[in-house]
Amino acid sequence: MKIFRFTPILLILFIAGWSCSPNPRNSFPDNNALSQTPFVPTDNGYKLVWMDSFDGTKLDTTKWSLRGLGSRRIGYNDSSMVKMENGNLLLMYDIKGDSILGAMIGSEGKFETTYGYFECRAELQKSVGPWAAFWMQSPKISEGTDPAEYGVEMDIFEYFNELGPDTLSHALHWAYGPEMQSVGPLKSGLKGLDKGFHTFGFEWTEKNYAFYIDGLKFFEVNEGISKIDQYIILSMEIRDKLEGFKKAVAPDTFKIDYVKVYKK
């Protein structure tokens, strides 16, 4: 057997290369929030104006619609993947026969607003593969490039478990098409994110956006500010390639306790 011996230079290069190798599941601190003081909307001039606590047995169709039913990437959004149970909304991922199923609901045409503090309390999915998302969208986003006039896709959070169980992703996108612009992904690390319920908040003002987890502010952005009414979306998303589901366990669930909207 040939024995490989490190010279001092080779040893330094090996250590440097090892320390810089991608290790996404362990690349974030336990808490990288900008502030450790929890933000309470009612203590900051906000008043609750809209909410759904999902207490019924059926989705409240005065507030939500099933969204994007049918083909979605390599699977389907299916109404059977949307359930109400024990005061929670369940958005599920499952495999039925040869079909990969996901779920999405939205408030388009039923509740749309400009500016505010938006919050949901939820338990995230366990799998690597499908991903939970809480976001806002503009009905005009494909019609022009000015975010103030045509709106912004506001990804309040997306939970890609392959980034690590304690890592959350946020992003902004506008001007859909060849001139699309984005901010992010911005990545937040918070120990215990994969366990139990957490609150996910988003403040949208005339000047900036701020992203929160459990009341802690993780990011503030002053680019791409929308100044038009937008609507809320909750979804269990499906990958665009089959290999993305190799480590997924079906069924899996994005469980939402409530959604609240506060305005000044």
Side-chain angles (χ1 to χ4, degrees):
M1 177 185 293
K2 184 177 181 180
I3 299 176
F4 186 85
R5 299 183 183 278
F6 284 110
T7 66
I9 293 176
L10 283 175
L11 182 60
I12 291 171
L13 291 174
F14 172 80
I15 292 172
W18 174 82
S19 65
C20 294
S21 295
N23 188 11
R25 294 185 65 82
N26 296 285
S27 58
F28 276 86
D30 289 350
N31 183 330
N32 67 329
L34 298 176
S35 170
Q36 300 303 315
T37 302
F39 178 85
V40 180
T42 53
D43 292 344
N44 287 272
Y46 284 99
K47 180 181 178 180
L48 182 66
V49 297
W50 187 91
M51 72 173 293
D52 194 343
S53 55
F54 304 110
D55 289 329
T57 58
K58 295 182 179 180
L59 190 68
D60 186 344
T61 55
T62 68
K63 297 178 178 178
W64 306 99
S65 299
L66 297 177
R67 181 175 172 83
L69 292 176
S71 296
R72 178 75 167 168
R73 302 188 182 94
I74 63 167
Y76 302 89
N77 282 336
D78 191 87
S79 60
S80 67
M81 297 292 99
V82 180
K83 297 181 180 180
M84 304 277 284
E85 184 178 284
N86 299 323
N88 296 304
L89 168 69
L90 309 183
L91 298 181
M92 304 178 68
Y93 148 78
D94 206 352
I95 297 175
K96 301 288 188 181
D98 294 330
S99 297
I100 299 172
L101 304 180
M104 184 185 303
I105 67 168
S107 68
E108 184 177 8
K110 299 186 177 184
F111 178 76
E112 301 181 10
T113 193
T114 306
Y115 312 133
Y117 183 80
F118 305 82
E119 182 180 78
C120 80
R121 181 175 183 266
E123 183 176 73
L124 304 171
Q125 94 281 353
K126 305 302 181 186
S127 285
V128 172
W131 76 92
F134 174 37
W135 46 304
M136 297 186 69
Q137 184 59 285
S138 159
K140 300 170 62 177
I141 195 166
S142 299
E143 298 176 16
T145 60
D146 182 358
E149 182 178 355
Y150 297 103
V152 174
E153 177 186 322
M154 305 164 179
D155 295 328
I156 300 172
F157 82 76
E158 295 177 283
Y159 185 58
F160 301 103
N161 209 324
E162 65 268 27
L163 295 177
D166 301 324
T167 302
L168 206 67
S169 177
H170 325 272
L172 302 164
H173 309 284
W174 64 94
Y176 279 2
E179 297 182 70
M180 189 175 84
Q181 298 187 56
S182 299
V183 174
L186 310 170
K187 296 176 184 177
S188 299
L190 185 64
K191 188 70 174 177
L193 196 60
D194 63 329
K195 298 176 177 64
F197 283 85
H198 298 269
T199 59
F200 305 94
F202 178 70
E203 187 177 25
W204 167 23
T205 74
E206 295 181 10
K207 296 181 178 179
N208 58 34
Y209 304 112
F211 299 86
Y212 295 82
I213 307 172
D214 292 339
L216 305 182
K217 183 191 290 188
F218 281 79
F219 290 98
E220 196 168 290
V221 177
N222 59 10
E223 299 176 63
I225 305 300
S226 171
K227 297 185 178 181
I228 65 170
D229 284 353
Q230 303 208 178
Y231 53 90
I232 301 168
I233 302 172
L234 295 159
S235 56
M236 179 64 112
E237 295 286 348
I238 297 169
R239 297 281 180 172
D240 58 1
K241 294 182 180 179
L242 191 60
E243 63 188 36
F245 292 94
K246 286 183 178 180
K247 296 182 180 180
V249 177
D252 205 345
T253 304
F254 174 27
K255 186 182 295 185
I256 302 100
D257 178 29
Y258 65 70
V259 175
K260 296 181 179 180
V261 178
Y262 297 82
K263 301 274 286 184
K264 284 192 174 181

